[in-house]
Amino acid sequence: MGRLLPQIVVPLDTYPPKDLSGLPLLFIGHTSLWQCWPSAAKSSRDKMKSAVLVNVLALTAFALLEESAAARDYLHCVSKKVVIVDAPKGTTSSSTEENLGFWIDAATKIVTLADGKKLNVGRFDDRWISAVSGDVSYELDRQSGNLTYAGSTMKDGIATTIIGAGRCTVAAAPAR
């Protein structure tokens, strides 16, 4: 049998070396990186390279998150909504003002209603956004802020048609 070597215990406050700037220590925290990532390296130089790599990856992730958050806008839209119900006993219609809210994430091209429901995006470019939620299709002219939407359903011989149009503006997010 081979001879066992004594285990050398190094206090955690000696790694990473004290001459590191404060920024890497911010991401590493008080827990030693080498404890969390035991396969990081065998020598101090390799450990430093691993620490730098981890910090670069962390900074990149934070930058991407910040860019994604910055590219997300909330649109408040005021529209006129007309609902037409065509039933065997007759046709009725009503008109109301409706406030709609949309989250527009330009980086990921995701459109979400204010209530959190994601829309299925068909077109997303500098000029137009076309999206569908259930039976309602939305068209947003990004340059003018004009919104149009329409949808129809048929249930038990009753046809319901929804038509709406309005204007959208970038606004502060609603309070939850």
Side-chain angles (χ1 to χ4, degrees), residues 88-112:
K89 295 182 181 180
T91 301
T92 60
S93 65
S94 62
S95 176
T96 59
E97 185 174 284
E98 184 172 44
N99 289 304
L100 297 169
F102 297 93
W103 286 103
I104 308 294
D105 189 334
T108 60
K109 297 187 177 185
I110 294 175
V111 179
T112 309

Side-chain angles (χ1 to χ4, degrees), residues 75-95:
L75 295 183
H76 177 257
C77 308
V78 178
S79 68
K80 186 74 145 192
K81 175 180 169 181
V82 176
V83 178
I84 303 166
V85 179
D86 188 16
K89 295 182 181 180
T91 301
T92 60
S93 65
S94 62
S95 176

Side-chain angles (χ1 to χ4, degrees), residues 12 16 28-29 50-51 53 55 57 67 80 87 96 114-116 130 133 136 166:
L12 292 179
I28 296 172
S50 296
L53 176 62
N55 288 321
L57 292 174
E67 179 181 319
K80 186 74 145 192
T96 59
D115 65 4
S130 300
S133 176
V136 180

Side-chain angles (χ1 to χ4, degrees), residues 32-165:
S32 171
L33 174 65
W34 328 127
Q35 284 180 322
C36 298
W37 192 358
S39 64
K42 293 179 179 68
S43 72
S44 293
R45 189 181 76 203
D46 289 342
K47 289 178 183 178
M48 288 304 293
K49 285 181 183 178
S50 296
V52 169
L53 176 62
V54 167
N55 288 321
V56 167
L57 292 174
L59 286 171
T60 303
F62 286 125
L64 289 174
L65 287 173
E66 180 64 29
E67 179 181 319
S68 177
R72 190 174 181 219
D73 290 319
Y74 180 77
L75 295 183
H76 177 257
C77 308
V78 178
S79 68
K80 186 74 145 192
K81 175 180 169 181
V82 176
V83 178
I84 303 166
V85 179
D86 188 16
K89 295 182 181 180
T91 301
T92 60
S93 65
S94 62
S95 176
T96 59
E97 185 174 284
E98 184 172 44
N99 289 304
L100 297 169
F102 297 93
W103 286 103
I104 308 294
D105 189 334
T108 60
K109 297 187 177 185
I110 294 175
V111 179
T112 309
L113 290 172
D115 65 4
K117 184 176 182 183
K118 285 187 180 179
L119 279 68
N120 294 322
V121 176
R123 179 178 178 181
F124 195 114
D125 58 37
D126 292 340
R127 178 71 195 242
W128 292 97
I129 296 176
S130 300
V132 177
S133 176
D135 297 321
V136 180
S137 298
Y138 299 89
E139 296 284 332
L140 174 66
D141 182 337
R142 297 179 77 184
Q143 292 180 354
S144 69
N146 290 330
L147 171 72
T148 57
Y149 56 99
S152 64
T153 59
M154 176 70 95
K155 184 176 180 181
D156 299 327
I158 300 172
T160 304
T161 304
I162 298 170
I163 303 167

